[in-house]
Amino acid sequence: MDNPFPYRLYLVISEENCAGRPLVNVAESAVRGGVDVVQLREKNRSTMEFLQKANALKEVLDSHQVPLIINDNLEVAKQVGAYGIHVGNSDLPPSEIRKKWTTPHCLGYSIESLEQLKSTEAKVSDYFGVSPVFGTPTKTDTVTEWGLEGIAKIRSLTSKPLVAIGSMKKENAFEVIKAGADCIAVVSAICQAQDPQRAAAELRNEIERAL
């Protein structure tokens, strides 16, 4: 089977992270700069609002052939026809998602402890979010701060794609890929940037340099 997750630069976006700019504009700029997969994360919105944003975003991403992943809302993911869904430890487990949605192209799962790698949930997931690599203000409920050693350790225990998230920026993208990550996921480094396209291009450049 083909790798369902061949991506390198992963944008995690929500309206509140976009510094007052329209979410779809920031996402499109980022895609022009080299983002090749986008996750919509709207933890504080109603399902209806989330769905409206997802539909608008998907339309733009489809025109660039960039897949949309929905964070932790199976109903939105199914209704919008998303490429996949990403869940953490307090969300609906991957094994349950597989029962309720038989057609996702990819299912991502956040890894916060090494024990999780042996779980059923890990087995049925397509890629792992290594969360967080470095401490981050956007994620306050984390268990482990992995660091470069943590990425290398997880890499030695699984062949599944690893997406590094947590204070990722152009200054550390190179060493994180070298440590064993396949993909860099960013929030603030692109969403808060004055020029999201340029920020994405600089990150992409560091990733390609490390490969």
Side-chain angles (χ1 to χ4, degrees):
M1 185 184 144
D2 290 339
N3 173 11
F5 198 86
Y7 309 107
R8 296 296 184 185
L9 182 56
Y10 188 136
L11 176 65
V12 180
I13 195 167
S14 68
E15 195 81 61
E16 64 193 31
N17 287 322
C18 289
R21 297 167 295 189
L23 178 146
V24 288
N25 296 11
V26 173
E28 187 163 35
S29 295
V31 165
R32 290 187 199 283
V35 160
D36 54 2
V37 59
V38 177
Q39 180 193 126
L40 180 60
R41 180 163 75 191
E42 290 289 358
K43 290 279 189 191
N44 307 316
R45 305 272 175 183
S46 69
T47 295
M48 187 54 72
E49 284 179 302
F50 196 161
L51 189 57
Q52 285 169 340
K53 287 183 189 304
N55 278 315
L57 181 57
K58 187 169 186 293
E59 197 176 320
V60 169
L61 295 179
D62 282 354
S63 70
H64 293 279
Q65 284 91 50
V66 167
L68 172 65
I69 290 175
I70 296 295
N71 180 270
D72 172 38
N73 190 315
L74 184 57
E75 195 179 330
V76 170
K78 287 169 80 168
Q79 284 195 44
V80 80
Y83 182 75
I85 188 167
H86 186 92
V87 291
N89 291 293
S90 54
D91 304 328
L92 191 65
S95 56
E96 288 300 309
I97 291 169
R98 289 283 184 210
K99 289 175 196 162
K100 295 179 177 176
W101 189 22
T102 53
T103 56
H105 294 286
C106 83
L107 203 170
Y109 182 48
S110 295
I111 296 293
E112 293 179 358
S113 71
L114 290 174
E115 290 69 51
Q116 282 176 262
L117 292 170
K118 304 184 188 108
S119 69
T120 305
E121 306 312 335
K123 286 188 180 70
V124 302
S125 303
D126 294 310
Y127 73 89
F128 298 136
V130 181
S131 169
V133 177
F134 305 114
T136 166
T138 56
K139 192 113 174 75
T140 51
D141 56 347
T142 48
V143 182
T144 313
E145 192 173 310
W146 288 105
L148 298 175
E149 297 82 4
I151 293 173
K153 179 70 178 166
I154 296 171
R155 175 77 294 154
S156 73
L157 297 170
T158 182
S159 59
K160 290 191 180 183
L162 302 182
V163 177
I165 188 164
S167 293
M168 290 292 104
K169 47 194 177 224
K170 68 179 182 189
E171 289 79 9
N172 57 26
F174 179 87
E175 58 186 7
V176 168
I177 294 286
K178 282 290 185 202
D182 298 281
C183 178
I184 300 289
V186 290
V187 187
S188 309
I190 289 176
C191 293
Q192 300 280 330
Q194 211 167 350
D195 183 344
Q197 182 172 338
R198 184 177 166 192
E202 288 175 348
L203 270 155
R204 185 76 195 213
N205 191 40
E206 287 302 299
I207 293 166
E208 298 296 341
R209 203 163 66 85
L211 293 170

